[in-house]
Amino acid sequence: TVGAVALDAAGNIAAATSTGGMTNKRYNRIGDTPIIGAGTYANNATCAVSCTGHGEYFMRAVVAYDVSCLMEYKGLSLQEACEAVVNRKLVKFGGEGGLVAIAPNGDVAMPFNSEGMYRAKKAGEQQAFVAIYKDE
Amino acid sequence: MKNIAIALHGGAGTIEKKSLSPEQDKAFRAALKQAVEEGHQVLARGGNALDAVELAVTLLEDSPLFNAGKGAVFTKEGKHEMDAAIMCGRTLEAGAVAGVRNIKNPIQLCRSIMEHSDHVMLSGYGAEEFALNHGLDFAPESYFFNKFRYEQWSEVRDTNIYQLDHTVHTDEKFG
């Protein structure tokens, strides 16, 4: 699975996700990626989110929209909301994976609860940050 | 420069340092860097967030390293079946596809569905018909073939096991 979130100069955010699913899947299995609110979500009032991982758990936990809801209704920061969903709620479900998220103020979060996640970010005039493993 | 930013991922899973060779590590980082830099350039030129995420994901779909587009994994039938979605934070408009085959860049189809249909999600043959009607690029099965993905699939194709793209762990749901 691949995905991206972005904030433009006008203050608008967007999210996109794309996947080939799981190796050896059958029965036309569909994961969280194309389900708005599960694997992909964007709302200028809160954040944009793109997820990756074991889709069945992300669907049950409504991960992307849950991050947005925690910001909208509970007033959490992007980082706090992502931490709560990926490293607490999702872990209880047994769901492995992570997400990238961005808020209209420019905050970026890239949490994951697996051994690694291919990830990158670039903000303003900063150098691009690229990482794979947990300790980077 | 104004407050612009982009972040992206290429999948998560059991990715440990020992699981990648130095060459593989370098290739993954180069592909991620290219996608994030080109997406950022769109924003730096005053482009919108939708264009930036669409381009970044298109580049990752075009890379055989990641499980999307060209690098998509094999289904039980030995085919490639892809899902994708895009959403605009300003308008809350969205476009999504599920179970499409032979679409070169599913994320571009999502953008087209978002902008040129009254629907949010299309699936299977209907989504492919929409793609044909809107001039999206198709690709033959051979375009999606990848030796590494084929070997991954060969190990489990005669079982009920299915696997996450970057994960060694297997789950025998129907065992």
Side-chain angles (χ1 to χ4, degrees), chain A residues 77-109:
Chain A
S77 68
L78 180 73
Q79 202 70 46
E80 290 168 339
C82 288
E83 181 68 21
V85 174
V86 175
N87 287 317
R88 293 206 290 276
K89 181 179 176 182
L90 200 54
V91 168
K92 280 184 194 167
F93 275 72
E96 182 189 54
L99 58 83
V100 293
I102 197 164
N105 66 1
D107 285 351
V108 171

Side-chain angles (χ1 to χ4, degrees), chain A residues 61-80:
Chain A
V62 202
V63 167
Y65 187 59
D66 204 25
V67 171
S68 175
C69 285
L70 286 171
M71 295 177 73
E72 184 172 5
Y73 303 131
K74 210 172 178 183
L76 298 191
S77 68
L78 180 73
Q79 202 70 46
E80 290 168 339

Side-chain angles (χ1 to χ4, degrees), chain B residues 65-131:
Chain B
L65 295 172
F66 304 104
N67 178 23
K70 192 175 173 66
V73 298
F74 286 83
T75 65
K76 181 80 176 169
E77 293 76 29
K79 307 291 185 187
H80 306 280
E81 228 175 57
M82 299 169 285
D83 310 326
I86 193 165
M87 186 164 185
C88 174
R90 181 176 65 83
T91 63
L92 303 185
E93 291 175 314
V97 292
V100 294
R101 289 171 47 187
N102 302 107
I103 303 293
K104 187 168 181 250
N105 291 108
I107 199 64
Q108 294 176 7
L109 176 54
C110 294
R111 181 79 182 266
S112 190
I113 290 167
M114 185 181 87
E115 293 182 343
H116 304 298
S117 85
D118 295 328
H119 309 299
V120 170
M121 185 191 286
L122 301 181
S123 70
Y125 294 126
E128 290 156 18
E129 184 184 355
F130 183 93

Side-chain angles (χ1 to χ4, degrees), chain A residues 1-9 12-31 33-37 40-45 50-57 60 96-102 104-106 108-110 112 114-136, chain B residues 1-17 20 25 28-29 32-33 36-37 40 43 47-50 52-54 56-57 60-61 66-69 72-77 81-90 92 94-99 106-107 120-121 152-153 156-167 171 173-174:
Chain A
T1 306
V2 305
V5 293
L7 164 67
D8 63 32
N12 297 314
I13 56 176
T17 317
S18 183
T19 188
M22 300 175 92
T23 299
N24 213 37
K25 68 170 183 167
R26 58 179 176 171
Y27 307 126
N28 300 119
R29 177 263 186 191
I30 294 166
T33 293
I35 299 173
I36 301 304
T40 307
Y41 187 71
N43 184 340
N44 271 12
S50 171
C51 299
T52 176
H54 200 148
E56 279 69 12
Y57 297 98
R60 291 179 207 162
E96 182 189 54
L99 58 83
V100 293
I102 197 164
N105 66 1
V108 171
M110 301 193 291
F112 55 98
S114 49
E115 290 297 323
M117 182 170 81
Y118 297 102
R119 61 200 187 277
K121 66 177 177 179
K122 185 174 171 75
E125 293 177 352
Q126 293 173 12
Q127 292 290 308
F129 168 81
V130 179
I132 300 175
Y133 314 110
K134 195 169 246 176
D135 57 359
E136 292 184 88
Chain B
M1 189 176 288
K2 288 195 175 180
N3 192 22
I4 58 171
I6 183 168
L8 54 85
H9 66 79
T14 312
I15 311 163
E16 296 169 314
K17 283 179 180 166
L20 292 180
D25 184 290
F28 274 108
R29 288 176 195 275
L32 292 166
K33 189 166 193 296
V36 82
E37 292 284 5
H40 186 268
L43 301 170
N48 66 47
L50 272 173
V53 296
E54 182 186 343
V57 169
L60 295 171
E61 285 179 339
F66 304 104
N67 178 23
V73 298
F74 286 83
T75 65
K76 181 80 176 169
E77 293 76 29
E81 228 175 57
M82 299 169 285
D83 310 326
I86 193 165
M87 186 164 185
C88 174
R90 181 176 65 83
L92 303 185
V97 292
I107 199 64
V120 170
M121 185 191 286
Q152 272 187 330
W153 173 62
V156 294
R157 68 180 171 187
D158 295 327
T159 72
N160 287 327
I161 293 169
Y162 58 88
Q163 291 178 322
L164 283 172
D165 49 348
H166 298 300
T167 298
D171 190 353
K173 191 174 182 181
F174 306 105

